[in-house]
Amino acid sequence: MLLIGHLAEWQELLLVLRERRGLTVIVGDPISGTSALLAAALVEATPRGIHVDARRCADALDLAIAIADASIAALAPDASAWWLGSAPPSNSAGLRLSRMLGSRGIDPQPLRSGEGEALARLREAVELTSAVTDEPITLAIDHLGYMLANMRGTAGRATLDVLRATRQHVHSLDLILVDHPQGAISRALGDPRHPLYHAGERLHIPRPTPDQVVSDLAITQPLTAIPEDFVRRTAELADGVPSLTWQAIAMSPASGEAPSRALSGWEALRRACATSVRREWELLRRVHPAAQTLVAAISTGLKPHGITAASKTVADGLNRLRDVGIAWQPAQRTWAISDPLLAAYAREHAQPSTRMLRARHRQRREQR
């Protein structure tokens, strides 16, 4: 199921990993299945792959600690307990690791405790990968774009500068940085004033369309007996999101016509996620003052700038929604809500003013 809708991207990703191209920026559409695809590809194509999720990191110091922890777990698992502080200081594997790092000029204590200057720790964490093993290493930092989007001032630029410079210094290291559309990393590749300018290649992993899901299903048909029409209709309701498509299929009735089965499974999924989606809708007020109105307008098919708010307020709100992964632009001058479950909820709970704008828009369209 992981590859259905992503067969072409899977082959391209394996090629990138096997050819060891140095630095690659993966631009993954929101909830497109990029993370699962990357994790599986690292296992398939690399002898030593390290996968770090930057969503739990607030800054460069957090990222440094996450990289160091993941590197020790993957490359020196016998010393992992000592590294995390759950084994005695006299642990033999930990002492061997400490001596090895010291011989390479890396003091493990600041990285273990998260002390000191953030960028220095980040550089050491990336260098640690080559200090622990002489084999080629692939370090994939997932969701890095969202972390950078929420960093203030020039902190994000400085973080990318350290990653680029350290990768050039550590010749045995390949770096995979995962960004979102119009994110800071992919923009930096084309910015002559940025340290990351032309430093690597860009690979786009789109959210699969229902047609692509069905096309790939035909290729992998021996692996599953699910009818194509049923999969297509479910994928249309889930807006192509792989995880939601297969969850809805799993929650659908075992028999019946494809349209009714797909709708039943989708509604069952909506009921199961109702509490979390309602909470996400309520928390939109904390993202930006116009966030709820913008999400409702986009979900009902209205142009964001058509709401009753100043142009600057709308622009700021859209940028904020994009930076936290709630909204995105699948095409130029087009906005969409990333999560189809939230979009469905927003259509049903849109503000009265948004419903009035939608009614006027429908009337004008009918009069043409």
Side-chain angles (χ1 to χ4, degrees), residues 45-340:
T46 60
R48 295 283 191 174
I50 301 168
H51 191 192
V52 176
D53 190 343
R55 283 178 297 186
R56 58 196 181 102
C57 303
D59 52 25
L61 184 58
D62 274 346
L63 183 61
I65 297 170
I67 291 173
D69 290 352
S71 298
I72 296 301
L75 306 176
D78 56 340
S80 185
W82 173 85
W83 183 267
L84 297 175
S86 57
S90 58
N91 177 269
S92 58
L95 292 177
R96 285 196 301 271
L97 176 64
S98 180
R99 286 193 294 269
M100 178 191 301
L101 294 177
S103 68
R104 303 292 181 92
I106 299 175
D107 182 359
Q109 186 53 37
L111 273 175
R112 294 178 66 203
S113 59
E115 300 171 344
E117 201 272 323
L119 295 179
R121 297 292 83 77
L122 179 59
R123 182 177 61 255
E124 291 171 352
V126 178
E127 291 176 343
L128 179 146
T129 58
S130 64
V132 176
T133 178
D134 294 327
E135 296 183 28
I137 299 296
T138 299
L139 172 61
I141 307 178
D142 207 352
H143 301 103
L144 180 62
Y146 287 128
M147 187 197 96
L148 297 176
N150 290 282
M151 295 175 69
R152 295 174 179 263
T154 61
R157 180 189 181 97
T159 298
L160 289 176
D161 188 11
V162 169
L163 291 173
R164 176 202 60 82
T166 310
R167 196 223 64 80
Q168 289 181 330
H169 175 68
V170 182
H171 300 295
S172 61
L173 176 69
D174 288 319
L175 204 55
I176 305 289
L177 308 180
V178 182
D179 199 9
H180 55 282
Q182 292 87 44
I185 311 173
S186 55
R187 291 200 310 268
L189 288 177
D191 184 356
R193 299 167 298 178
H194 199 283
L196 211 64
Y197 179 58
H198 284 182
E201 301 180 7
R202 183 189 289 109
L203 171 63
H204 180 216
I205 299 183
R207 180 185 294 184
T209 64
D211 287 340
Q212 186 62 51
V213 172
V214 172
S215 175
D216 287 358
L217 185 68
I219 298 174
T220 59
Q221 194 65 49
L223 301 178
T224 177
I226 304 175
E228 289 185 3
D229 188 36
F230 173 40
V231 174
R232 180 193 298 276
R233 291 181 180 273
T234 308
E236 288 172 350
L237 290 169
D239 198 23
V241 176
S243 59
L244 298 182
T245 298
W246 299 114
Q247 286 180 61
I249 287 174
M251 301 175 75
S252 64
S255 60
E257 296 295 324
S260 60
R261 285 184 68 192
L263 183 59
S264 295
W266 176 248
E267 291 301 325
L269 178 60
R270 287 193 62 194
R271 288 192 297 271
C273 299
T275 301
S276 59
V277 172
R278 181 171 62 250
R279 182 61 175 161
E280 185 179 5
W281 170 257
E282 293 169 353
L283 288 175
L284 284 175
R285 299 178 188 271
R286 307 290 296 179
V287 174
H288 188 273
Q292 272 195 350
T293 305
L294 285 169
V295 169
I298 295 170
S299 300
T300 54
L302 295 172
K303 298 290 185 182
H305 286 276
I307 69 171
T308 55
S311 295
K312 185 178 186 305
T313 299
V314 172
D316 290 344
L318 290 173
N319 288 333
R320 186 61 187 150
L321 288 171
R322 180 179 60 199
D323 287 345
V324 297
I326 294 173
W328 67 301
Q329 291 184 275
Q332 193 173 13
R333 298 181 180 275
T334 302
W335 284 90
I337 301 306
S338 303
D339 186 351

